[in-house]
Amino acid sequence: MIENQDKIALPVGVTLDRFIKRNEDAFPFATGELSQLLRDVALAAKIVNREVNRAGLAGVTGLFGAENGHGESQQKLDVIAHIRFLRALRNGGEAAAVVSEEEDEVLVTGNEGAKYVVAIDPLDGSSNIDVNVSIGTIFSIYRRISPIGTPPAMEDFLQGGNRQVAAGYVLYGTSTMLVYTTGRGVYGFTYDASLGEFFLSHKQITTPGTGSIYSCNEGNLNDFPDTVRSYVEACRSRRYSARYIGSLVGDFHRNLLKGGIYLYPPTARAPNGKLRLLYECYPLAFLVEQAGGMATDGTMRIMDLPIRLLHQRAPLYIGSREMVLEVSPALSDAEHSGGPMLQKAELPVSTAIS
Ligand code: AHM
Ligand code: MG
């Protein structure tokens, strides 16, 4: 799964900038644009981190008074984070277009010569903003398929999860972390605000093969499909721990490190699930697979799910491999009968940096 491991193994304590630079040097065709894009994301993350930390003081929590395109009320910080990331990506020059949870349409940056496009949920877990609970940013990067030098197209974003070249998240928690993958393992960086730097703190993250934490909104249990309801009941009877923040990044991050499963099944209110494929499910699926875990919609690998709409929703079962297999019976059967879909060798390989 992880190539060039020796070349990118650096002592914990290196800065994100240095790590990205060394990482880039390990790949002969690297031209530095993707590296710059990752630095732009990190810069915006620092700015958003500052806004999140002083949100109560600056009076920016609470509703902005508008609704985003999906009829969800926008929080002030959602809007601020959206603007910060957009500016960083536009001014950095390496993103031709951006899709954000906060806007219906593709946002064109004017950087027509850029090779990449970015899908982003600028501030996820918005219901937690006002109550000082962890929130996060999720991002996903594609190499555009529209000709470079021409306006970017919607198709650039509808390539499917396997075409991601990088993905990651920022967790604004007890400390702020940036975790990302370019398809060669998962690395975590912790922010030192006094120095204004992210430092490598979690080298080559691998997730436990199983765990004893399950994370879902159990208030919706009666709406869950039978297989999922039975699985949750099994978790209870095994005395697993229920842990659910209601911030996907926080729940995902905890389970990634400790072992566990996050579930957002279809419900009566959200028959296709609640989460968005492009900037929530795909990027976390890419990360979890790179860490040795698994992500499905209950019937197939999230990375293989076709996408037709920018803001398409999907059910999500993600985390430790054994646990996700248990709630995805068709895939489990395929694996046991030697089916090809879940072989580790099939982890994404379409991630060359150029
Ligand atoms: P958001 O993008 O509006 O913040 O919604 C996504 C969030 C996830 O972070 C979280 O896991 C989930 O919605 C919580 O949903 P619910 O309140 O239905 O449990
Ligand atoms: Mg979201």
Side-chain angles (χ1 to χ4, degrees):
M1 176 172 76
I2 296 157
E3 302 160 8
N4 292 326
Q5 191 169 332
D6 51 344
K7 290 190 186 155
I8 58 178
L10 285 168
V12 170
V14 297
T15 64
L16 176 65
D17 261 7
R18 175 169 283 242
F19 181 85
I20 289 173
K21 181 82 188 89
R22 293 268 181 93
N23 214 339
E24 177 189 302
D25 290 347
F27 305 111
F29 303 111
T31 58
E33 287 136 337
L34 180 58
S35 302
Q36 184 54 45
L37 198 44
L38 290 168
R39 287 193 199 101
D40 296 338
V41 169
L43 172 64
K46 290 180 191 176
I47 297 169
V48 170
N49 179 63
R50 189 188 60 194
E51 312 278 9
V52 167
N53 280 325
R54 67 178 194 193
L57 282 175
V60 289
T61 56
L63 296 179
F64 190 61
E67 292 195 336
N68 66 14
H70 322 300
E72 299 155 342
S73 53
Q74 281 181 326
Q75 307 281 333
K76 273 189 186 177
L77 270 176
D78 297 13
V79 179
I80 292 168
H82 167 78
I83 293 167
R84 294 300 190 193
F85 275 98
L86 265 188
R87 274 193 203 153
L89 293 169
R90 188 192 57 209
N91 296 344
E94 307 299 352
V98 178
V99 163
S100 162
E101 179 166 21
E102 300 303 326
E103 290 275 354
D104 283 349
E105 309 294 335
V106 172
L107 301 164
V108 172
T109 59
N111 304 320
E112 285 189 3
K115 291 180 182 162
Y116 296 97
V117 297
V118 180
I120 191 156
D121 184 350
L123 210 53
D124 183 69
S126 45
S127 65
N128 282 322
I129 292 174
D130 271 352
V131 289
N132 205 13
V133 173
S134 298
I135 42 184
T137 296
I138 310 173
F139 63 91
S140 169
I141 301 176
Y142 293 84
R143 216 189 139 101
R144 59 189 288 203
I145 49 176
S146 54
I148 291 160
T150 67
M154 194 191 289
E155 287 63 40
D156 294 326
F157 291 93
L158 303 179
Q159 300 184 49
N162 291 307
R163 305 289 300 174
Q164 294 174 95
V165 294
Y169 60 83
V170 184
L171 172 62
Y172 311 97
T174 43
S175 53
T176 294
M177 281 194 71
L178 188 151
V179 177
Y180 82 96
T181 184
T182 54
R184 292 170 171 88
V186 179
Y187 293 85
F189 299 80
T190 302
Y191 186 56
D192 182 334
S194 66
L195 298 172
E197 292 273 16
F198 282 100
F199 286 93
L200 179 62
S201 53
H202 294 64
K203 252 172 85 173
Q204 207 97 284
I205 297 173
T206 52
T207 195
T210 190
S212 54
I213 296 175
Y214 70 102
S215 310
C216 63
N217 187 338
E218 267 184 89
N220 295 328
L221 188 71
N222 290 341
D223 284 348
F224 289 177
D226 290 347
T227 44
V228 183
R229 197 168 52 241
S230 310
Y231 178 73
V232 171
E233 280 158 3
C235 290
R236 288 172 174 175
S237 65
R238 293 171 197 161
R239 304 291 188 269
Y240 285 1
S241 293
R243 294 281 183 276
Y244 188 67
I245 306 170
S247 276
L248 175 58
V249 172
D251 283 313
F252 176 82
H253 182 73
R254 181 200 50 245
N255 294 356
L256 181 73
L257 298 184
K258 293 193 164 185
I261 183 170
Y262 171 99
L263 311 100
Y264 210 110
T267 63
R269 233 176 314 179
N272 297 317
K274 177 184 182 187
L275 302 172
R276 313 289 176 162
L277 190 51
L278 183 62
Y279 42 77
E280 293 177 325
C281 303
Y282 278 158
L284 297 187
F286 189 13
L287 283 159
V288 86
E289 289 195 356
Q290 284 293 315
M294 198 170 160
T296 78
D297 72 342
T299 61
M300 66 192 285
R301 205 172 143 245
I302 289 284
M303 299 280 274
D304 290 335
L305 277 181
I307 183 164
R308 290 175 301 105
L309 305 169
L310 293 176
H311 299 284
Q312 189 170 321
R313 296 176 196 265
L316 179 66
Y317 310 104
I318 189 166
S320 292
R321 195 175 169 79
E322 259 185 46
M323 301 175 87
V324 176
L325 273 175
E326 202 177 331
V327 81
S328 315
L331 299 183
S332 183
D333 291 348
E335 178 152 274
H336 288 123
S337 64
M341 197 171 202
L342 300 170
Q343 300 305 310
K344 278 207 166 181
E346 292 205 3
L347 294 179
V349 289
S350 58
T351 50
I353 295 179
S354 58

